[in-house]
Each structure stands twice: as C-alpha cells, then as structure tokens.
Amino acid sequence: MKKLKVSLPQQPYPIYLKKGLLEEIPNRFKEKYPSKRLALITDENVEKLYGRKLEEELKSNGFKTQLISIPPGEQSKSIRTLEEIYEKLLDFQITRGDILLTLGGGVVGDVGGMAAATYLRGIPLIHIPTSLLAQIDSSIGGKVAINLPRGKNLIGSFYHPQEVYIDPQLLTTLDKRYFRDGLAEIIKYGCIKDKELFHQLLAFPNEEQLFQNIEDIIYTCCKIKSHIVEKDEKDAEERMLLNFGHTLGHAIEKYFHYEKFTHGEAVALGMYNITKKSEEQCITQKGTAEGIKQLLKKYHLPHKMPKIDREDLIKTIGLDKKNRGQYINIVLLEKLGNGFIQKFSPEEIERMVFIEKD
Ligand SMILES: NC(=O)c1ccc[n+]([C@@H]2O[C@H](COP(=O)([O-])OP(=O)(O)OC[C@H]3O[C@@H](n4cnc5c(N)ncnc54)[C@H](O)[C@@H]3O)[C@@H](O)[C@H]2O)c1
Ligand SMILES: [Zn+2]
C-alpha cells in the first residue's frame, strides 16, 4: 500500500492508496476506532454501487452506522441538503467523539465536509473519494463548500480530514466523462509542476494503458497537491497555481450556463488557450501550447475555443468596467512543468483572452 502524509502544523494526516482498499476499511476501523458511531454520507449512485455494502460490513464489524444518501450532482451542494444532513446527524445522536465518513465524488466530499466542519462546531472527518477528481484533488487540502443560488462555493471553510482512503479500483464504474474531468486536472498538475508526469501521459498509447497505471498517477498527483497545500494552506500564493486554466475555464463554464462543457472540459480549453496566448507574447516557451493540445486530443478533451462573443466573455470573467483598476492573478506557464503567477490589469487580460478562428 502507498502512504502519503500531508504535513500541516495543526493537523498532519495520512492518505492511504491501494487498489481494493475499500474492502479493508471495516477491519482497519475496528482496530482504530472501536465503539465509535459512524455517519456515512454518500450519493444515490455510489450508495448502490458501494455504500450499502460498506455499511453492512461496518455493521457486521460491530459499528453503529447511519447511511445518509443525497441525490447525485452539483444541486446537492446546497443549504437545504446540508440542513437535511444535520437533521440526520442529530437523529443518529452523533457527537464530537464520533466520525463522519464521506464516500463519493467531490460533491459528497464538499457538502459532507461542510457538515463535519460545522455540526457541533466540528466533528472528525474521513474522506473515501470515489471519483478521479475527488481522488486527486478535492479530498486533499481541506476545502469544504456549498453553493448559493448566486454562485458556486460561496459558503465554505478549510477543514481537514483525519485520514483519506483512496481505492482506484472504484474508478472502473465511473462514467467516462467524469473520468476525463479528472484527467484534465491531472494534465494541469503536469503543466504547473511536473514535466515528467506530462510526458508520461503523452507516452501512454491510449486511455486503457493510462488506466493500468492509474495508481501511480494518483500517487504523483496527491504528492503534488499535498506539497502545494503544505506550503500554502489557505490560498495565499502557491495554492493559486492550482487555478491554471481556471480563470478562462470558469468563464466558459458560466457563459454556457454549466450545460455545454463539464468543468474538466472548460479547464482544458482554458489551459490551452491561455498558453497559446502567453506563448505569442513570448512569456511561455515555444511549443508548450502545442504539447498541451496533443495531450488534450489524446484524452478526448477539447482545445478549440467555442464561439463566444468577446465582450460577453470579458464580462463573465468579471472584467467589466466596475473592476477597472484592479489587478487579477493569472497562472501561466514559463514552460511545461513550471507554472507561475502573474498580475494583470483587466486591460491586459482582455488582450490575453483569445478566441480562435476555425
Ligand atoms: N474541495 C476542493 O478542493 C475541490 C476541488 C475540486 C473540485 N471540487 C468540487 O468537486 C465537485 C465535482 O466533483 P466530481 O467531479 O467528483 O463530481 P460528483 O461528486 O458529482 O461525481 C460525479 C458523478 O460520478 C458519480 N460517481 C462518483 N464516484 C463514482 C464511482 N466510483 N462509480 C460510479 N459513479 C461514481 C457520482 O454519483 C456523480 O454522478 C464540484 O462541486 C467541485 O466544486 C472541490
Ligand atoms: Zn478544477
């Protein structure tokens, strides 16, 4: 089994990684957490595939458990879902001495993490991430959040889990589109921090071959994310590197009302198009954008900017007149594997936003 440690001064915590790890969890918990109550938060898809079985096995190992299943999808990152979770935690009489487990993708991790952070001013939290994105990104770093009608992740906190258990075997049931969403973030790690990872991804002949090596890839990504979080727990500087491709990506997602592109696809568009532009301005080493394009194409992620009205896009990024005079941090690449943050004025970003012609 692979093990990593996120070394934070207040609360260092381990990440365990192994194919088939889920099955070992009841036994491990029996030794580590005897007689605790376990609230298991999941979504309806993951419940059917893995949640019920895990609950049964925890029960047969002597645990008192309560399965809390929320509807799948972003809609569940809401105040209403959070309130329903609190009610069930109260019914089940969870105390600060017990544990809240999340079993699911980033949605379950974020809303379940919010519940753990706030219920009784904080109860112990353990993540068992089940989507690729959750295994390489959202389960590490302690960000928990819910959405408001006016925007994503507007309510949130930093609340680290006690442990993270990653079982890559669970990814065999994940829909391809979600798998590729996670891949876009893996490509991002390669771009900002790890040239070798980038070239490794480029060298796999196909997605199947990549999947054969997924455990090592997840390990590399968790290591990169934990190092970034260790350097900058609260999003001050280093952690901003994780936003590579995201300023433009978020704007594209929002412009199409979150319907046309998934988050990963929008980030893919953001990474390629911002790099193409920074390369034209001689900020980025020549050939970098072409490398990104090759990799995105290989894993069926888009690179070509959709047709968007330039003014509308600029407005969506938040660069309309009311923001004049402010500076915005944009992540760019010096070359593959080396991301850095540059401050731009809105006027300069306007020039960076690039709409490719067919
Ligand atoms: N906290 C953070 O640092 C952070 C970082 C990045 C993203 N996020 C958040 O993560 C969320 C997106 O996460 P996501 O992409 O995992 O979405 P998700 O949680 O909606 O999961 C995607 C879909 O896959 C299903 N699923 C999950 N695991 C499965 C499995 N093993 N087999 C079959 N189906 C499975 C889910 O039921 C869901 O339908 C967003 O809300 C985003 O804001 C948080
Ligand atoms: Zn992202």
Side-chain angles (χ1 to χ4, degrees):
M1 178 158 68
K2 295 189 171 68
K3 187 180 168 189
L4 269 162
K5 197 163 138 203
V6 186
S7 302
L8 294 171
Q10 305 270 332
Q11 188 190 351
Y13 59 94
I15 302 169
Y16 303 103
L17 169 62
K18 186 186 168 190
K19 277 191 180 161
L21 184 58
L22 186 68
E23 287 184 5
E24 295 178 13
I25 287 179
N27 234 328
R28 288 172 166 268
F29 278 21
K30 204 169 157 182
E31 279 168 30
K32 276 189 168 170
Y33 306 116
S35 72
K36 293 210 186 270
R37 280 169 186 265
L38 306 175
L40 176 58
I41 302 192
T42 188
D43 73 24
E44 285 154 11
N45 296 333
V46 181
E47 177 197 356
K48 288 188 201 101
L49 288 163
Y50 309 106
R52 282 184 208 153
K53 185 155 179 259
L54 177 62
E55 194 204 13
E56 266 166 37
E57 277 164 23
L58 288 166
K59 279 204 164 105
S60 60
N61 275 279
F63 285 103
K64 286 204 172 69
T65 62
Q66 165 83 344
L67 189 67
I68 303 172
S69 188
I70 62 174
E74 192 65 30
Q75 299 292 333
S76 283
K77 274 177 62 171
S78 66
I79 291 185
R80 210 175 126 210
T81 308
L82 194 59
E83 197 178 346
E84 285 166 11
I85 294 172
Y86 293 143
E87 293 289 345
K88 295 207 169 120
L89 295 175
L90 284 168
D91 290 344
F92 187 47
Q93 297 173 333
I94 285 273
T95 68
R96 278 183 180 165
D98 298 315
I99 300 174
L100 189 153
L101 303 174
T102 71
L103 175 75
V107 166
V108 168
D110 275 14
V111 70
M114 252 318 265
T118 48
Y119 177 81
L120 303 180
R121 297 198 182 84
I123 58 173
L125 169 68
I126 292 177
H127 285 310
I128 311 171
T130 65
S131 70
L132 183 57
L133 182 122
Q135 296 192 343
I136 55 134
D137 189 355
S138 62
S139 65
I140 307 155
K143 280 194 188 176
V144 296
I146 56 166
N147 305 328
L148 287 177
R150 284 163 65 175
K152 281 189 63 170
N153 298 326
L154 290 180
I155 308 281
S157 187
F158 289 94
Y159 194 73
H160 293 281
Q162 278 193 353
E163 297 181 311
V164 181
Y165 288 86
I166 303 178
D167 181 352
Q169 193 68 41
L170 308 184
L171 302 177
T172 49
T173 52
L174 189 68
D175 193 89
K176 265 213 159 67
R177 203 166 190 208
Y178 292 117
F179 187 78
R180 288 177 188 152
D181 253 7
L183 270 182
E185 304 283 354
I186 293 178
I187 293 171
K188 179 191 79 181
Y189 285 128
C191 287
I192 57 168
K193 280 284 174 192
D194 192 336
K195 190 174 73 184
E196 268 171 43
L197 172 65
F198 193 95
H199 288 296
Q200 193 189 6
L201 295 170
L202 211 49
F204 292 127
N206 50 41
E207 224 171 75
E208 287 69 43
Q209 205 58 39
L210 177 145
F211 195 71
Q212 297 296 314
N213 293 276
I214 197 72
E215 192 167 322
D216 287 339
I217 294 170
I218 293 173
Y219 180 79
T220 304
C221 294
C222 289
K223 210 154 91 180
I224 296 172
K225 176 128 188 204
S226 351
H227 283 164
I228 291 178
V229 171
E230 282 162 8
K231 277 197 202 156
D232 171 22
E233 195 187 336
K234 299 250 159 100
D235 243 352
E237 183 84 10
E238 179 83 6
R239 208 166 164 164
M240 283 181 203
L241 287 177
L242 296 167
N243 286 338
F244 176 55
H246 280 60
T247 304
L248 191 49
H250 280 149
I252 295 169
E253 269 185 291
K254 202 167 154 194
Y255 181 87
F256 290 103
H257 308 288
Y258 300 94
E259 281 162 6
K260 191 173 165 69
F261 297 103
T262 65
H263 176 69
E265 288 165 347
V267 169
L269 290 168
M271 292 191 291
Y272 170 68
N273 287 287
I274 205 74
T275 304
K276 194 163 177 221
K277 201 64 189 166
S278 65
E279 204 176 299
E280 277 170 22
Q281 298 189 356
C282 300
I283 300 171
T284 304
Q285 196 177 70
K286 288 262 172 288
T288 308
E290 189 53 37
I292 296 175
K293 178 172 158 183
Q294 266 185 44
L295 197 50
L296 296 176
K297 279 176 88 170
K298 174 163 218 156
Y299 296 111
H300 312 279
L301 286 157
H303 67 280
K304 217 179 233 181
M305 204 58 185
K307 286 202 170 58
I308 300 181
D309 179 77
R310 195 187 167 93
E311 286 306 310
D312 283 348
L313 185 63
I314 285 162
K315 229 185 258 167
T316 317
I317 301 182
L319 297 177
D320 39 354
K321 295 210 171 52
K322 67 178 187 310
N323 288 328
R324 297 281 132 145
Q326 285 178 12
Y327 280 81
I328 291 189
N329 292 308
I330 299 281
V331 184
L332 300 175
L333 304 182
E334 183 207 324
K335 55 186 179 183
L336 282 176
N338 282 56
F340 70 99
I341 297 153
Q342 186 150 327
K343 282 198 188 323
F344 282 103
S345 71
E347 290 79 6
E348 285 166 324
I349 296 178
E350 249 186 80
R351 265 177 269 135
M352 291 292 291
V353 174
F354 180 66
I355 299 169
E356 198 181 14
K357 292 184 192 73
D358 286 327

